[in-house]
Amino acid sequence: MIFYFSATGNCKYVATQIAKVTNDNIMSVVDCVKSNHYTFHMSKNEGIGIVSPTYALGLPIIVAEFLKKLKISADRKPYVYFVATYGTTPGQTGFFADEYMREKGFPIDAKFSVKMPDTWTPVFDLSNKEKVNRINYRAESQIDFLLAQIKSTACGDFMTHKVPRLAAKVCYKIGYESIRKTKHFNVEDTCIGCGLCEKKCPVNAIKMSHGKPVWIKEQCVMCLGCLHRCPKFAIQYGKNTKKHGQYTNDTVKINKIMETERLYLRELRMEDKKELMKVLSNSESMQFYPHPFSEEEVEKWIEWNLDNYKKYKHGLWAVIAKEGDVFVGDCGITMQNIGDKTVPEIGFHIIMEYCKQGFATEAAYACMEYAFNVLQYPEVFSYTTIRNIPSQKVAEKLGMRIYKYFEKNGERQIVQTIMNPKLVEKE
Ligand SMILES: Cc1cc2nc3c(=O)[nH]c(=O)nc-3n(C[C@H](O)[C@H](O)[C@H](O)COP(=O)(O)O)c2cc1C
Ligand code: SF4
Ligand code: SF4
């Protein structure tokens, strides 16, 4: 059983990744608290995982209270592990969690930490999406590490960036109380009275009054879920949150990779087949390919990309127009052979009716930035047949220059490329 608390999605993502390798169920602490469910039995071979954010160098009150009340029985001693996600330091979350679990006779065998975007936006700035993506990308190797340890039931304290215990105890006691002041919340005129903040608050600390949220100080655990999830970004805390932006880790929900002004890119899934066929099986869209794809070939295309995500952490992603949440095509980075070597290549396929609106350039530009800033590729490429002028024009708009020509499928291909400007600067 993996217990998690997550206001903005970071811990939910980590818990979901752990569940994929352990096959254990994930259990939301909020659901347990709301349904007064604190007694659990662990069957043979079932581990106990606790995944929690760090609040003021310690555990969110809701997690601490839950662990205090938790009652566990087990067929045999389970493997117990704790994971803290954090933005700056996980403080002494592992120590605090262990104190609660030890009292019940289930001391924690392994402790881990994962650095993720810091949702305490009264201080930390999450307005730069590129920076946020980079933090989340770096978190992947930390998650891979803990997955391997948990899978092999490794024991030990693997947490990094901790602070001394005394400092954490003092900060938790004084610091958490001092930030738990709901008087710092204010609601802007953009509030549409949708009530989402009231509905989603994990501890019922918001009541709607005259179409606006009002906070119940004693109940609020200061998770900032209301601020980050408001569809109009109408909730602010103090003076800085407006400029520091909103953040939610929606990776679990939609496997979102990146966002642009009008689009977002998420992982493809098999259910996209029908929409994807609108471009890959369309003879006009596929005029530069040997033939339009059959339904089976589109399925294979999606499977190939699902493999790419696992192997390279990139591939072609679904391109969705934010307005109306419409599937407009695919775009992304795949490894392609350009005659003498295999290189990261930016490709895209946009459904006819959405062409000539700049979507390909907008999505391809975001992919290029992702390739440079997140994946840290030294250069990226684009290749197509010399007949495909629209595609070459998009590459030109990205700043690519001609790299070479080569023969493939009995046709002359043009390869364009651009260097990672950050690496060029360093040289
Ligand atoms: C009230 C509050 C206090 C926080 N305190 C800390 C902290 O002491 N150290 C830290 O590194 N991150 C701190 N954070 C950041 C969160 O621990 C971090 O962003 C976490 O990944 C959020 O997880 P979630 O998205 O699952 O809610 C704090 C966030 C909030 C809302
Ligand atoms: S979620 Fe935002 S827009 Fe909706 S009621 Fe709350 S503050 Fe207003
Ligand atoms: S009122 Fe907002 S900050 Fe407080 S617990 Fe509810 S969602 Fe979290």
Side-chain angles (χ1 to χ4, degrees):
M1 185 76 69
I2 305 159
F3 299 102
Y4 76 93
F5 170 66
S6 187
T8 33
N10 286 343
C11 290
K12 186 168 185 183
Y13 173 62
V14 174
T16 311
Q17 295 304 98
I18 298 172
K20 279 186 195 162
V21 300
T22 59
N23 288 325
D24 285 338
N25 291 325
I26 63 170
M27 180 64 80
S28 150
V29 165
V30 174
D31 290 346
C32 294
V33 171
K34 284 192 171 165
S35 60
N36 214 10
H37 185 187
Y38 295 100
T39 308
F40 295 88
H41 180 77
M42 299 299 140
S43 57
K44 215 166 77 183
N45 297 332
E46 197 179 2
I48 302 175
I50 301 155
V51 185
S52 170
T54 306
Y55 283 6
L57 309 184
L59 297 168
I61 296 173
I62 185 169
V63 176
E65 293 294 323
F66 171 74
L67 292 181
K68 253 188 236 170
K69 293 184 185 166
L70 184 64
K71 284 197 185 91
I72 289 183
S73 57
D75 290 342
R76 67 172 190 201
K77 195 210 162 298
Y79 172 61
V80 188
Y81 56 91
F82 172 79
V83 183
T85 70
Y86 71 97
T88 322
T89 159
Q92 282 291 337
T93 40
F95 169 77
F96 294 133
D98 188 48
E99 274 193 327
Y100 292 119
M101 294 305 287
R102 203 167 274 277
E103 247 175 46
K104 295 167 209 304
F106 294 102
I108 291 173
D109 297 306
K111 299 174 198 159
F112 305 93
S113 54
V114 183
K115 183 174 167 61
M116 298 186 90
D118 198 315
T119 55
W120 184 244
T121 49
V123 175
F124 297 98
D125 186 355
L126 296 182
S127 61
N128 184 333
K129 295 294 165 226
E130 189 190 291
K131 237 165 141 181
V132 168
N133 285 344
R134 215 175 308 144
I135 298 171
N136 273 328
Y137 182 75
R138 289 196 189 124
E140 287 300 324
S141 56
Q142 300 161 56
I143 296 169
D144 284 347
F145 169 78
L146 69 87
L147 293 182
Q149 304 306 315
I150 291 171
K151 218 171 157 193
S152 61
T153 59
C155 296
D157 187 348
F158 302 100
M159 294 184 95
T160 59
H161 301 92
K162 291 186 294 187
V163 298
R165 208 166 286 169
L166 183 65
K169 279 185 175 175
V170 173
C171 172
Y172 186 63
K173 210 168 166 48
I174 300 169
Y176 197 174
E177 270 319 300
S178 77
I179 58 173
R180 263 186 77 201
K181 296 219 166 86
T182 52
K183 67 177 181 198
H184 296 308
F185 279 121
N186 59 81
V187 187
E188 297 183 341
D189 291 344
T190 47
C191 167
I192 48 168
C194 67
L196 196 78
C197 46
E198 180 188 45
K199 202 167 129 205
K200 292 272 175 183
C201 173
V203 288
N204 302 324
I206 293 180
K207 287 277 163 282
M208 293 300 284
S209 170
H210 305 290
K212 295 264 183 304
V214 175
W215 281 265
I216 303 163
K217 181 180 178 300
E218 299 68 36
Q219 258 151 265
C220 175
V221 294
M222 203 45 76
C223 69
L224 291 193
C226 50
L227 180 152
H228 289 294
R229 291 193 185 277
C230 168
K232 293 290 166 190
F233 196 11
I235 297 177
Q236 304 301 333
Y237 178 102
K239 288 189 195 127
N240 294 330
T241 53
K242 186 81 184 167
K243 61 175 187 276
H244 288 170
Q246 278 179 304
Y247 169 81
T248 48
N249 188 332
D250 291 329
T251 328
V252 176
K253 224 168 39 193
I254 55 166
N255 286 332
K256 191 198 282 178
I257 308 296
M258 66 189 88
E259 251 184 273
T260 66
E261 199 187 327
R262 296 178 298 165
L263 308 167
Y264 70 86
L265 275 65
R266 62 152 171 81
E267 287 189 0
L268 282 165
R269 40 192 184 233
M270 207 35 93
E271 301 88 278
D272 293 325
K273 184 176 71 180
K274 222 172 100 201
E275 293 304 307
L276 202 51
M277 282 179 74
K278 288 184 183 166
V279 55
L280 297 183
S281 306
N282 179 293
S283 50
E284 201 180 340
S285 303
M286 295 297 276
Q287 60 182 298
F288 304 114
Y289 279 71
H291 57 83
F293 287 2
S294 65
E295 186 172 341
E296 205 186 329
E297 283 170 316
V298 175
E299 271 173 25
K300 288 217 171 94
W301 183 264
I302 296 174
E303 276 164 14
W304 169 58
N305 281 296
L306 299 182
D307 276 353
N308 282 332
Y309 305 150
K310 279 196 203 128
K311 225 192 255 172
Y312 305 110
K313 298 207 186 281
H314 58 78
L316 288 163
W317 296 295
V319 180
I320 312 291
K322 287 182 191 168
E323 199 178 329
D325 214 32
V326 186
F327 186 102
V328 298
D330 71 11
C331 180
I333 308 152
T334 55
M335 299 310 288
Q336 295 286 345
N337 191 298
I338 53 163
D340 53 351
K341 59 180 180 179
T342 301
V343 295
E345 197 250 0
I346 295 180
F348 51 84
H349 307 88
I350 302 294
I351 297 171
M352 270 298 178
E353 64 176 295
Y354 304 113
C355 285
K356 301 204 170 108
Q357 297 179 44
F359 286 151
T361 309
E362 191 169 323
Y365 190 85
C367 288
M368 179 178 76
E369 299 260 286
Y370 190 85
F372 289 155
N373 298 320
V374 179
L375 302 169
Q376 308 261 313
Y377 280 123
E379 53 190 333
V380 287
F381 295 78
S382 165
Y383 95 85
T384 184
T385 84
I386 48 166
R387 290 183 296 125
N388 188 350
I389 304 297
S391 175
Q392 292 167 46
K393 283 212 167 123
V394 170
E396 273 167 29
K397 282 186 201 155
L398 302 190
M400 289 190 179
R401 57 175 179 76
I402 297 171
Y403 176 72
K404 70 164 190 173
Y405 297 90
F406 75 107
E407 295 289 319
K408 191 177 169 186
N409 301 330
E411 263 212 81
R412 203 161 152 73
Q413 313 283 328
I414 175 171
V415 183
Q416 292 156 284
T417 187
I418 183 168
M419 301 275 287
N420 185 336
K422 286 195 180 139
L423 299 182
V424 173
E425 271 164 30
K426 267 190 201 161
E427 280 169 15

